[in-house]
Amino acid sequence: MISTVLTSRKSKAIAVWCGILLLVLCLHVYMSYQDVGVPGIGRRLYGDNSQFRDPPPYNQYGNAKTIKRPTEPKQPSTPAVPQKLYTPPDNEEKKQRFPRALIVGTGKCGTRALIDYLNMHPYVVTAKREMHFFDRDENWSRGVNWYKSQMPYSYSDQMTIEKSPSYVEHPRTPSAVKQMDKDMFILWVVKDPVVRLMSVMALQDENSNLRHAYLEYGRDGKLGIRKDYYPLWRGEYVIHLRRWLRYFPLSQIHVLDGTDLVKDPITQIQNVESFLQLQPLLGPRNFYYNASKGFYCMVPFSTTTPQCLGSSKGRKHPVINETVKTMLYDFFRPYNEQFFKLLGKRFNWEPKDRI
């Protein structure tokens, strides 16, 4: 009887050990399936999450496995905002410097837009107001040190730019500028002189006679152009260009059409970057077309919010009849043709349906 009991216990022990071995074998098979990524066993417990685990570097045959990591889904593209486009030179402090470029004119042609656009460039610093140093006696008499003291602080690899739209017409300015810096970059914004004149007239009250101050009656009683009218003289660009060319080569004078600056600021500002030998950084990301205003607004690198020019820009021009329009274009045409010839390029300054 004792032997029977021992035999029974031995059989149970063998059965237990067989069960343990079987369990270990099953667990080994289960883990193998999990590691090689075979769908099925065990996935029901944990879900299909093997793509997020680090699989072993070898497969079941002992060969190195090519592992494909899951790629992140692409996010919708948004305008990037560069956090740091400019790094100051080492061991250098900011200081006030003379301008290396001047926007010299002409008023009502887009000089404000140009300097605001350039102010977005990280290698440009601009004077915060029109200094009128070269064209106003009260400022000229204060001397160049006073002028320098009005400039913004900058680093040595940045370009200081100042704008005063009447520099281009003042007889003293070209020679005085050359005396200060013979390598000065000259930026000049012009516009169809008839369109520019209407921009000036738009500043006057709608019912004011000053809106027609460019007209006069001759001795014969016929209506004609008042040739000594100052706003007309400002639009006789060839006279001013000849004066500047006595002191600066044309290669140092960049002339752009203000109408083109309004319609295609990206191309125009990139041309200016090239002329000023600046790193080409400004582009489509920096401009946003505002359909309600009818012109482009700026988008500086520091933001994605458009910033538009002031409400004083884009005023409605006075309406002029066809006779007066023809008279004005006939008056300016000889000056324009001489200007184009001297400049070496043409602008589309012929009568337009809307002025």
Side-chain angles (χ1 to χ4, degrees):
M1 183 174 179
I2 294 175
S3 61
T4 303
V5 172
L6 291 174
T7 303
S8 175
R9 289 180 177 178
K10 187 176 180 180
S11 299
K12 289 181 180 180
I14 293 172
V16 170
W17 281 107
C18 288
I20 292 173
L21 289 173
L22 182 61
L23 180 61
V24 171
L25 179 63
C26 291
L27 184 61
H28 176 72
V29 172
Y30 164 78
M31 294 303 295
S32 297
Y33 282 149
Q34 282 291 88
D35 287 341
V36 298
V38 178
I41 304 173
R43 298 290 178 86
R44 297 167 186 166
L45 293 175
Y46 300 101
D48 189 6
N49 62 355
S50 63
Q51 61 176 324
F52 303 111
R53 296 186 293 105
D54 288 328
Y58 297 93
N59 60 19
Q60 70 267 42
Y61 303 108
N63 299 322
K65 298 199 305 184
T66 301
I67 301 170
K68 286 188 177 181
R69 299 287 186 182
T71 57
E72 289 293 329
K74 290 185 177 180
Q75 299 297 326
S77 60
T78 55
V81 182
Q83 297 300 313
K84 197 169 186 180
L85 287 175
Y86 177 76
T87 302
D90 295 335
N91 303 318
E92 184 179 311
E93 293 184 358
K94 284 184 174 182
K95 67 178 185 179
Q96 291 170 304
R97 307 169 194 273
F98 286 113
R100 291 170 52 202
L102 291 175
I103 299 176
V104 297
T106 298
K108 309 311 297 179
C109 288
T111 57
R112 168 52 57 187
L114 178 58
I115 198 167
D116 284 350
Y117 293 165
L118 284 171
N119 197 42
M120 293 190 292
H121 199 291
Y123 286 85
V124 168
V125 292
T126 60
K128 300 308 177 186
R129 62 188 179 93
E130 297 174 0
M131 295 309 307
H132 291 284
F133 173 65
F134 299 100
D135 63 328
R136 291 183 181 174
D137 291 340
E138 63 271 24
N139 293 334
W140 177 250
S141 63
R142 295 175 177 179
V144 294
N145 289 333
W146 174 85
Y147 182 52
K148 183 179 178 181
S149 71
Q150 305 303 305
M151 293 299 108
Y153 284 80
S154 64
Y155 291 104
S156 60
D157 60 352
Q158 291 180 309
M159 176 178 284
T160 300
I161 301 178
E162 192 251 320
K163 170 187 85 80
S164 291
S166 53
Y167 281 164
V168 71
E169 300 112 14
H170 198 281
R172 174 175 55 211
T173 305
S175 60
V177 171
K178 183 175 182 179
Q179 185 176 359
M180 189 177 74
D181 184 358
K182 63 180 179 60
D183 297 318
M184 184 75 75
F185 292 101
I186 307 300
L187 293 167
W188 184 10
V189 189
V190 294
K191 186 181 284 187
D192 179 331
V194 178
V195 177
R196 197 204 76 84
L197 179 64
M198 292 303 105
S199 295
V200 175
M201 296 301 101
L203 298 174
Q204 307 299 330
D205 185 78
E206 187 173 352
N207 299 316
S208 172
N209 289 331
L210 292 176
R211 283 206 166 192
H212 310 288
Y214 55 90
L215 297 173
E216 65 178 0
Y217 285 98
R219 294 181 179 179
D220 57 0
K222 293 182 179 180
L223 186 66
I225 301 297
R226 181 182 164 188
K227 297 180 180 180
D228 62 346
Y229 187 51
Y230 177 69
L232 280 173
W233 176 77
R234 294 190 75 182
E236 297 168 10
Y237 303 126
V238 66
I239 297 174
H240 316 309
L241 180 58
R242 284 173 179 157
R243 185 186 311 112
W244 280 87
L245 289 177
R246 296 187 196 127
Y247 300 93
F248 291 93
L250 190 59
S251 59
Q252 278 181 243
I253 304 174
H254 181 75
V255 181
L256 61 153
D257 189 339
T259 300
D260 294 337
L261 186 62
V262 171
K263 293 181 178 180
D264 186 11
I266 299 170
T267 299
Q268 295 302 314
I269 206 67
Q270 289 175 343
N271 289 341
V272 172
E273 280 181 319
S274 177
F275 170 72
L276 296 177
Q277 300 173 17
L278 291 169
Q279 184 177 346
L281 295 176
L282 299 176
R285 181 253 178 267
N286 301 108
F287 295 93
Y288 167 80
Y289 184 75
N290 188 313
S292 62
K293 292 180 176 292
F295 53 77
Y296 283 87
C297 299
M298 300 169 289
V299 186
F301 287 112
S302 59
T303 181
T304 56
T305 303
Q307 299 178 5
C308 296
L309 297 174
S311 57
S312 63
K313 305 301 179 183
R315 286 189 181 93
K316 187 177 180 180
H317 288 179
V319 177
I320 56 176
N321 63 45
E322 290 300 317
T323 300
V324 173
K325 184 192 296 187
T326 300
M327 289 168 55
L328 285 170
Y329 275 101
D330 288 346
F331 171 80
F332 279 116
R333 189 171 289 110
Y335 295 102
N336 292 343
E337 290 300 321
Q338 295 175 56
F339 181 63
F340 298 153
K341 184 176 180 179
L342 200 57
L343 195 60
K345 64 179 178 180
R346 300 183 66 85
F347 298 119
N348 182 22
W349 292 349
E350 284 302 317
K352 300 170 179 58
D353 294 336
R354 293 185 62 189
I355 299 298

